[in-house]
Amino acid sequence: MIDILLVRENPDLVRASQRARGADESLVDQVLAADEKRRASITEFESLRAQQKSVSKSVGAAMGKLAGARKSGSGDVETLQQEADEARTRAAELAAKVKQREAAADQEDKEFAALIRELDNIVIDGVPAGGEDDFVTLETVGEPREFDFEPLDHLTLGERLGAIDMERGAKVSGSRFYFLKGAGARLSNALMAYAQSIAVEEGFTPLVVPTLVSPATMGGTGYLDAHEDVYHLESADLYLTGTSEVALAGYHTDEIIDLSAGPLRYTATSTCYRREAGSYGKDTRGIFRVHQFTKTEMFIYCTPEEAVAEHQNLLRIERRLLDGLELPYRVIDVAAGDLGGSAARKFDCEAWVPTQGKYRELTSTSNCTTYQARRLNIRQRGDDGKTSFVATLNGTMLTDTRPIVALLENHQQADGSVRVPRALQPFLGTDVIRPA
RNA sequence: GGAGGCGUCGCCUAGUCUGGUCUAUGGCGCCCGCCUGCUAAGCGGGUUUGGGGAUAAAACCCCAUCGAGGGUUCAAAUCCCUCCGCCUCCGCCA
């Protein structure tokens, strides 16, 4: 959610942001109209309520006097009784009116709230305009490898190594499920251990988090807007999270956090669940696009002023991890139309996948500025004692499945074995993976 | 899963039975001021969070807020209903 004050004071900025995303510009004027309507309604209702309260209070006073008069036998009990009754009648009339105006004000406030939630986050200056294909490549690291033999794809390699078993995954759970076995399972664990060790080195606090969350948490992080990708457990009314970002963002919901000692940096490894609905026919081979994988995620709470620097920090850490895996990759500045509603800027790291002849997304980091915090009501207290919304950022350290794809394909050798990059060796306990 | 208890503005706490001077009590902590060679003590004042109005900005005025949401009533921390969380006991269990 963006700040209504910003919409009021600088509507052109909001319009420009919507335009860059290819989103609806007229929403800005709808929001402004709804805001005005709602404020007029609130003012009317509140002044009426103030009247009602003061009349109602006089009923109490009258009753008090009446009781006193009755007890002592002094004073005109009848007159006092009449006064009390009259006040009560007037209060009852006002109460009915107040009820009406309150309902109207509530309705208009709801309409306003629904509209402003539709506005996407303000895109940061410099983000390329346009859609999915309009990204800007910031840097390319390493070179796609020249093979002096015909490279195999990750599934063929994985099966030969006894590392990936799609058939049994499908048998047990259906399509896009899999088993990792032997070296495959060990690679998954090693990648997470590698990520966790770097996370701690970089000053992140590790958490073990819930992967089933309430509708409120899911909605607050904005993931319910992308409904088709989310698993919902009807019997318990809980959602399976597609990333631990959900729990990490929900962690400080409704809190006023202390950022005086610097940003709060958290990391969590969790199983991630994605329906991948609507991706039929896409990436159907192997474990590139699956319903379940494991991911170590970073999450940062900081002041809005620190957000851009923290975003660069997350990108640096992601690159550090990929460098360690010795993969060729590029960094892209994702275009406005491909950001998702919460992000103001997003950098993806895409690794080279030899048998696809393409760079594919391995990690991604988003700067959500105050958009997510506003929805989740996460604030900090400034030096002036006033509260303000914090900025949130998230980034992938590593997942297991896609890096395994990239590692197997890029580091395969003519004899069917796979070289293990040095950084991973301590966690895997070997420098080469051979057929089991 | 069953039974019972509890949830008050940072923390503790009064108020809930018996609805109305409750403008939610008091203490601790914190902040400002006075006093003071310094510190402490003492004294005085302030101290939830949203929202609306007012303002150059404040001061200020108003509305809501006693776990959340409904209801009853002229009036709800207080009565009724639903939900959530915590604690105790019982059952079950890796």
Side-chain angles (χ1 to χ4, degrees), chain A residues 54-327:
Chain A
S54 97
V55 173
S56 179
K57 219 166 263 181
S58 74
V59 175
M63 306 267 286
K65 271 192 219 162
L66 184 61
R70 280 215 176 104
K71 217 176 199 176
S72 65
S74 66
D76 190 341
V77 173
E78 217 161 282
T79 309
L80 286 169
Q81 176 75 58
Q82 209 177 337
E83 275 173 20
D85 287 346
E86 270 168 27
R88 190 183 303 192
T89 309
R90 244 194 95 207
E93 282 164 11
L94 272 167
K97 250 196 252 177
V98 165
K99 212 171 183 179
Q100 265 182 23
R101 298 313 312 168
E102 185 176 24
D106 278 355
Q107 180 58 31
E108 274 153 28
D109 197 53
K110 267 190 197 135
E111 281 164 20
F112 163 76
L115 276 171
I116 196 165
R117 277 176 84 100
E118 277 183 49
L119 281 174
D120 290 328
N121 200 357
I122 305 298
V123 168
I124 288 175
D125 231 12
V127 170
E132 195 178 344
D133 301 323
D134 296 313
F135 63 85
V136 169
T137 303
L138 298 176
E139 200 177 338
T140 304
V141 179
E143 297 268 326
R145 177 177 159 199
E146 297 285 339
F147 287 90
D148 48 16
F149 58 93
E150 190 60 33
L152 302 173
D153 78 14
H154 79 274
L155 182 55
T156 306
L157 277 163
E159 284 174 340
R160 285 196 191 176
L161 294 168
I164 301 172
D165 185 341
M166 298 303 296
E167 269 178 44
R168 289 197 174 93
K171 178 176 71 179
V172 169
S173 302
S175 69
R176 293 200 194 279
F177 287 96
Y178 56 93
F179 282 83
L180 295 180
K181 184 187 175 195
R186 294 193 68 199
L187 261 175
S188 171
N189 291 333
L191 284 162
M192 293 307 110
Y194 168 49
Q196 286 161 359
S197 74
I198 301 244
V200 171
E201 234 180 72
E202 295 280 359
F204 285 73
T205 303
L207 294 173
V208 173
V209 304
T211 53
L212 283 168
V213 302
S214 66
T217 301
M218 205 62 182
T221 48
Y223 278 94
L224 248 37
D225 305 344
H227 214 51
E228 67 282 351
D229 212 25
V230 170
Y231 284 108
H232 180 232
L233 296 192
E234 204 148 332
S235 61
D237 195 18
L238 291 169
Y239 291 90
L240 273 164
T241 55
T243 163
S244 50
E245 175 198 340
V246 176
L248 291 173
Y251 188 61
H252 284 304
T253 292
D254 289 328
E255 292 183 25
I256 297 171
I257 58 176
D258 184 4
L259 294 178
S260 61
L264 299 180
R265 300 187 179 92
Y266 298 109
T267 179
T269 300
S270 76
T271 306
C272 306
Y273 301 92
R274 299 188 181 180
R275 286 182 58 200
E276 298 294 340
S279 68
Y280 312 110
K282 248 196 219 170
D283 303 313
T284 49
R285 185 169 165 80
I287 57 169
F288 188 83
R289 186 180 298 277
V290 288
H291 288 314
Q292 175 189 330
F293 57 95
T294 311
K295 176 156 69 87
T296 299
E297 178 84 352
M298 302 178 278
F299 197 90
I300 291 181
Y301 297 89
C302 66
T303 66
E305 294 72 32
E306 295 165 327
V308 167
E310 287 302 318
H311 199 197
Q312 288 299 324
N313 189 36
L314 288 174
L315 179 58
R316 179 188 60 76
I317 295 167
E318 290 185 3
R319 294 183 48 168
R320 180 181 170 190
L321 282 149
L322 291 178
D323 289 339
L325 295 183
E326 298 169 29
L327 296 169

